[in-house]
Amino acid sequence: MKDQIQNLSDKGIPALGIYSGMSRRLMVQTLKNAGNDHYKLLYVSPERIETSLFLEYLPALNINLIAVDEAHCISQWGYDFRPSYLRIADLRAELPGVPVLALTASATEVVQKDICEKLAFANPQIFRQSYTRANLSYSVFKADSKLSKLIDVVKKVPGSGIVYCKSRKRTSEVASLLQMHGLSASFYHAGLTQEERSKRQQDWVD
């Protein structure tokens, strides 16, 4: 969310966000600011939508559209099911007449149908594009040593990148290994403090 808000701000589109690690005071100020028509977008995680604080300020927000990003998370057939997503549909009762848009890049037809049901779409309009993305390429390697292959790839491919790991501990281990080979690397996971996450995220963006 922070990346998207920053990218929008850089384009002159004023946006706000409520995310983990924010103090109650900052959240209140953000919600008050969101009531100002100057702001075009408010990013809120599904978990935050359920809070009494958000619901308290909801009537003061001039909402024209509810956009559900990563909508596959709403489906029990999706790969990243999160129960809080199910309760996004409750906003429809609070905001009758406000259109709802669900977005995902990875929903099968079964997941699409489930999303429509969970969000209580009466007459859904579905727009699909191919999974093929002209700006993406995929390479699959069968390597004797994943870490050796990783180092080889990182040294040859220009720019910055992300290495996904199965555990928090592994992110630290892999970052240390890359550093040992003279590569600029750090690790990022939900166990870090908000300050550490913000710093590392900004370092990566830079």
Side-chain angles (χ1 to χ4, degrees):
M1 286 196 289
K2 285 185 70 177
D3 283 347
Q4 292 190 44
I5 292 166
Q6 185 60 55
N7 289 336
L8 287 167
S9 296
D10 292 344
K11 290 177 172 64
I13 301 170
L16 295 167
I18 296 175
Y19 35 82
S20 62
M22 292 176 73
S23 67
R24 180 181 175 84
R25 182 179 173 185
L26 184 55
M27 283 191 282
V28 167
Q29 189 57 56
T30 300
L31 286 165
K32 284 181 178 177
N33 290 343
N36 180 335
D37 285 341
H38 170 71
Y39 291 97
K40 298 297 181 186
L41 291 164
L42 174 65
Y43 286 80
V44 189
S45 70
E47 291 79 10
R48 295 287 170 183
I49 287 172
E50 297 181 278
T51 64
S52 57
L53 181 64
F54 180 80
L55 294 173
E56 179 185 337
Y57 281 88
L58 183 60
L61 305 179
N62 181 25
I63 297 175
N64 300 300
L65 173 71
I66 300 167
V68 184
D69 199 13
E70 307 294 352
H72 55 267
C73 297
I74 214 167
S75 172
Q76 61 180 321
W77 309 111
Y79 65 80
D80 189 23
F81 174 68
R82 286 163 64 188
S84 293
Y85 266 78
L86 288 173
R87 293 180 283 277
I88 293 174
D90 295 343
L91 277 178
R92 305 196 76 161
E94 302 286 337
L95 302 166
V98 175
V100 179
L101 174 68
L103 304 157
T104 175
S106 54
T108 63
E109 287 195 14
V110 172
V111 172
Q112 290 169 28
K113 183 179 178 184
D114 203 26
I115 289 168
C116 292
E117 289 175 358
K118 297 294 193 300
L119 286 175
F121 287 144
N123 299 295
Q125 300 284 321
I126 298 176
F127 302 89
R128 295 187 189 92
Q129 285 185 311
S130 169
Y131 284 113
T132 304
R133 299 286 189 273
N135 61 329
L136 297 180
S137 64
Y138 300 89
S139 300
V140 180
F141 305 101
K142 186 173 183 180
D144 293 329
S145 169
K146 289 181 182 178
L147 291 174
S148 294
K149 187 62 181 176
L150 171 63
I151 292 163
D152 182 53
V153 169
V154 172
K155 285 185 174 179
K156 288 179 179 175
V157 178
S160 57
I162 299 175
V163 180
Y164 288 96
C165 301
K166 287 186 177 180
S167 68
R168 295 178 183 183
K169 181 182 177 185
R170 194 63 177 150
T171 64
S172 172
E173 293 170 350
V174 171
S176 294
L177 181 90
L178 292 171
Q179 290 166 4
M180 283 167 50
H181 283 81
L183 296 160
S184 174
S186 188
F187 61 94
Y188 181 103
H189 57 65
L192 298 171
T193 66
Q194 183 62 33
E195 186 178 348
E196 287 173 317
R197 281 192 283 169
S198 294
K199 171 73 167 60
R200 292 178 193 201
Q201 184 176 13
Q202 192 60 49
D203 287 347
W204 184 77
V205 168
D206 292 340

